[in-house]
Amino acid sequence: MSLTADVRPHMPTPPIRHDWSRQEIGALFDLPFPELIFRAQNVHRQHFDPTQVQISTLLSIKTGGCPEDCAYCPQSARYDTGVDADKLMALDAVVAEARAAKSAGASRFCMGAAWRSPKDRELDQVCAMVEAVKAVGLETCATLGMLTAPQARRLKQSGLDYYNHNLDTSPEFYGEIITTRVYADRLETLGHVREAGIHVCCGGIVGMGESRADRIGMIEALASLPVHPESVPINMLVRVAGTPLAGEPALDPLEFVRTIAVARITMPRAVVRLSAGREDMSEETQALCFLAGANSIFYGPKLLTTANPARNRDRELMAKLGLSAMQ
Ligand code: SF4
């Protein structure tokens, strides 16, 4: 059953804002939990059917050996995580994975490559993949590292629908996590992607030892982009052995839910994706995330190199919650 217009809340839709202050965002985080969820639900229902969840599948098309030093990432060549460096996948193997994802119910196919930035020859190969995956009948997304403006235009010409490039955390905490590039580099690539006319997928990771003030700073950075990202993945850190963040204490799941709710309220039209970290998340936490306004998941047993819930577990959870796949 799909929610019809007559059961959506009858209240004026507030304008989309890009001027959220840290104080206002902090005040949302501080709300009593029921009040926060109520507000997030109201915003969510003004823009989305709360029973529908967008399903994406993520494939690592080029794994490991990355020169960057992102402290959370098992694909960095600097950390001994047991992830071997592979070459770029062959086109036909990518298309086979895309067909399987479509049969399993995905509407979007995301391709990730562990590069600081793609070389033009590599980009041509990815563009051929984008064209082939679109021909399968899926939306396409890529995450390939930093792009120049001409590279973003080249991807747009190939038909790419979304480009993922996360801000990861607050500008202040960024240097604690990554030293091989700076926040401004991220914003520059996001600008090239937006100018090329590609939808933006941009979010962050929580549970990396950042403070709530950093989570507030991350949401402020996302919500003050000139156009909100169409897709906002909120990841819970997966503490991979061998990475510098392997021993980080777990973040309180309710703080994760609060982060989702604040993302929903501040970026009302964005699809908020419950992203990495679901493998270790209880069904109850995930249900709270959907109540808080999350309306997208990655589907399939693997997220790049880390585990994700098996498809049958996700199907069972969605059935229990009465959720269906957004088309
Ligand atoms: S997150 Fe991306 S850029 Fe950073 S080390 Fe991993 S693959 Fe490289």
Side-chain angles (χ1 to χ4, degrees), residues 23 70 83 97 109 172 184 206 212 217 259 265:
Q23 198 181 13
C70 311
V83 173
E97 294 277 354
F109 191 69
E172 294 79 11
V206 297
R212 178 180 274 185
T259 310
I265 292 167

PDB file of all heavy atoms in Angstrom, residues 23 70 83 97 109 172 184 206 212 217 259 265:
ATOM      1  N   GLN A  23      24.092  26.836  15.530  1.00  0.00           N
ATOM      2  CA  GLN A  23      23.264  26.926  16.742  1.00  0.00           C
ATOM      3  C   GLN A  23      21.899  26.264  16.501  1.00  0.00           C
ATOM      4  O   GLN A  23      21.416  25.492  17.321  1.00  0.00           O
ATOM      5  CB  GLN A  23      23.081  28.398  17.083  1.00  0.00           C
ATOM      6  CG  GLN A  23      22.634  28.623  18.497  1.00  0.00           C
ATOM      7  CD  GLN A  23      22.445  30.109  18.779  1.00  0.00           C
ATOM      8  OE1 GLN A  23      22.412  30.951  17.887  1.00  0.00           O
ATOM      9  NE2 GLN A  23      22.311  30.418  20.047  1.00  0.00           N
ATOM     10  N   CYS A  70      42.787   8.143   4.101  1.00  0.00           N
ATOM     11  CA  CYS A  70      41.529   8.236   4.858  1.00  0.00           C
ATOM     12  C   CYS A  70      41.554   7.182   5.984  1.00  0.00           C
ATOM     13  O   CYS A  70      41.641   5.975   5.710  1.00  0.00           O
ATOM     14  CB  CYS A  70      40.335   7.996   3.946  1.00  0.00           C
ATOM     15  SG  CYS A  70      40.423   8.990   2.431  1.00  0.00           S
ATOM     16  N   VAL A  83      43.258  -6.071   2.231  1.00  0.00           N
ATOM     17  CA  VAL A  83      42.600  -5.766   0.944  1.00  0.00           C
ATOM     18  C   VAL A  83      43.687  -5.621  -0.112  1.00  0.00           C
ATOM     19  O   VAL A  83      44.545  -4.747  -0.012  1.00  0.00           O
ATOM     20  CB  VAL A  83      41.761  -4.469   1.035  1.00  0.00           C
ATOM     21  CG1 VAL A  83      41.232  -4.069  -0.343  1.00  0.00           C
ATOM     22  CG2 VAL A  83      40.614  -4.636   2.023  1.00  0.00           C
ATOM     23  N   GLU A  97      27.146  -7.753 -13.216  1.00  0.00           N
ATOM     24  CA  GLU A  97      26.768  -7.357 -11.842  1.00  0.00           C
ATOM     25  C   GLU A  97      25.564  -6.416 -11.878  1.00  0.00           C
ATOM     26  O   GLU A  97      24.686  -6.487 -11.013  1.00  0.00           O
ATOM     27  CB  GLU A  97      27.944  -6.652 -11.149  1.00  0.00           C
ATOM     28  CG  GLU A  97      29.150  -7.540 -10.886  1.00  0.00           C
ATOM     29  CD  GLU A  97      29.014  -8.375  -9.619  1.00  0.00           C
ATOM     30  OE1 GLU A  97      28.030  -8.183  -8.881  1.00  0.00           O
ATOM     31  OE2 GLU A  97      29.887  -9.229  -9.394  1.00  0.00           O
ATOM     32  N   PHE A 109      22.680   1.824  -9.648  1.00  0.00           N
ATOM     33  CA  PHE A 109      23.899   1.015  -9.579  1.00  0.00           C
ATOM     34  C   PHE A 109      25.076   1.966  -9.406  1.00  0.00           C
ATOM     35  O   PHE A 109      25.329   2.829 -10.255  1.00  0.00           O
ATOM     36  CB  PHE A 109      24.034   0.225 -10.893  1.00  0.00           C
ATOM     37  CG  PHE A 109      25.087  -0.838 -10.854  1.00  0.00           C
ATOM     38  CD1 PHE A 109      24.930  -1.981 -10.079  1.00  0.00           C
ATOM     39  CD2 PHE A 109      26.244  -0.713 -11.618  1.00  0.00           C
ATOM     40  CE1 PHE A 109      25.896  -2.974 -10.060  1.00  0.00           C
ATOM     41  CE2 PHE A 109      27.215  -1.706 -11.607  1.00  0.00           C
ATOM     42  CZ  PHE A 109      27.038  -2.839 -10.825  1.00  0.00           C
ATOM     43  N   GLU A 172      36.486  21.177  10.585  1.00  0.00           N
ATOM     44  CA  GLU A 172      37.480  21.227  11.665  1.00  0.00           C
ATOM     45  C   GLU A 172      38.087  19.854  11.943  1.00  0.00           C
ATOM     46  O   GLU A 172      39.252  19.741  12.311  1.00  0.00           O
ATOM     47  CB  GLU A 172      36.840  21.740  12.973  1.00  0.00           C
ATOM     48  CG  GLU A 172      36.367  23.176  12.919  1.00  0.00           C
ATOM     49  CD  GLU A 172      35.031  23.350  12.209  1.00  0.00           C
ATOM     50  OE1 GLU A 172      34.354  22.333  11.929  1.00  0.00           O
ATOM     51  OE2 GLU A 172      34.665  24.501  11.900  1.00  0.00           O
ATOM     52  N   ALA A 184      38.569  21.917   1.024  1.00  0.00           N
ATOM     53  CA  ALA A 184      38.295  22.745  -0.162  1.00  0.00           C
ATOM     54  C   ALA A 184      38.384  21.910  -1.440  1.00  0.00           C
ATOM     55  O   ALA A 184      37.669  22.182  -2.416  1.00  0.00           O
ATOM     56  CB  ALA A 184      39.275  23.912  -0.214  1.00  0.00           C
ATOM     57  N   VAL A 206      29.862   8.950  10.613  1.00  0.00           N
ATOM     58  CA  VAL A 206      29.884   9.290  12.039  1.00  0.00           C
ATOM     59  C   VAL A 206      30.445   8.096  12.818  1.00  0.00           C
ATOM     60  O   VAL A 206      30.503   6.974  12.311  1.00  0.00           O
ATOM     61  CB  VAL A 206      28.483   9.696  12.560  1.00  0.00           C
ATOM     62  CG1 VAL A 206      28.001  10.946  11.843  1.00  0.00           C
ATOM     63  CG2 VAL A 206      27.487   8.561  12.401  1.00  0.00           C
ATOM     64  N   ARG A 212      29.913  15.765  18.935  1.00  0.00           N
ATOM     65  CA  ARG A 212      28.630  16.177  18.367  1.00  0.00           C
ATOM     66  C   ARG A 212      28.798  17.490  17.607  1.00  0.00           C
ATOM     67  O   ARG A 212      28.181  17.697  16.563  1.00  0.00           O
ATOM     68  CB  ARG A 212      27.562  16.311  19.444  1.00  0.00           C
ATOM     69  CG  ARG A 212      26.263  16.778  18.840  1.00  0.00           C
ATOM     70  CD  ARG A 212      25.150  16.933  19.829  1.00  0.00           C
ATOM     71  NE  ARG A 212      24.440  15.692  20.059  1.00  0.00           N
ATOM     72  CZ  ARG A 212      23.356  15.604  20.826  1.00  0.00           C
ATOM     73  NH1 ARG A 212      22.891  16.676  21.446  1.00  0.00           N
ATOM     74  NH2 ARG A 212      22.734  14.443  20.979  1.00  0.00           N
ATOM     75  N   GLY A 217      28.716  20.367  12.541  1.00  0.00           N
ATOM     76  CA  GLY A 217      29.484  21.056  11.491  1.00  0.00           C
ATOM     77  C   GLY A 217      29.358  20.355  10.145  1.00  0.00           C
ATOM     78  O   GLY A 217      29.308  20.997   9.091  1.00  0.00           O
ATOM     79  N   THR A 259      21.361  11.951  14.108  1.00  0.00           N
ATOM     80  CA  THR A 259      22.051  12.542  12.954  1.00  0.00           C
ATOM     81  C   THR A 259      21.207  12.393  11.692  1.00  0.00           C
ATOM     82  O   THR A 259      21.084  13.321  10.887  1.00  0.00           O
ATOM     83  CB  THR A 259      23.438  11.885  12.769  1.00  0.00           C
ATOM     84  OG1 THR A 259      24.130  11.905  14.014  1.00  0.00           O
ATOM     85  CG2 THR A 259      24.263  12.605  11.717  1.00  0.00           C
ATOM     86  N   ILE A 265      15.649  16.882   8.433  1.00  0.00           N
ATOM     87  CA  ILE A 265      14.971  18.167   8.673  1.00  0.00           C
ATOM     88  C   ILE A 265      15.666  19.289   7.895  1.00  0.00           C
ATOM     89  O   ILE A 265      15.004  20.161   7.323  1.00  0.00           O
ATOM     90  CB  ILE A 265      14.952  18.483  10.190  1.00  0.00           C
ATOM     91  CG1 ILE A 265      14.046  17.488  10.918  1.00  0.00           C
ATOM     92  CG2 ILE A 265      14.493  19.915  10.449  1.00  0.00           C
ATOM     93  CD1 ILE A 265      14.186  17.510  12.435  1.00  0.00           C
TER      94      ILE A 265
END
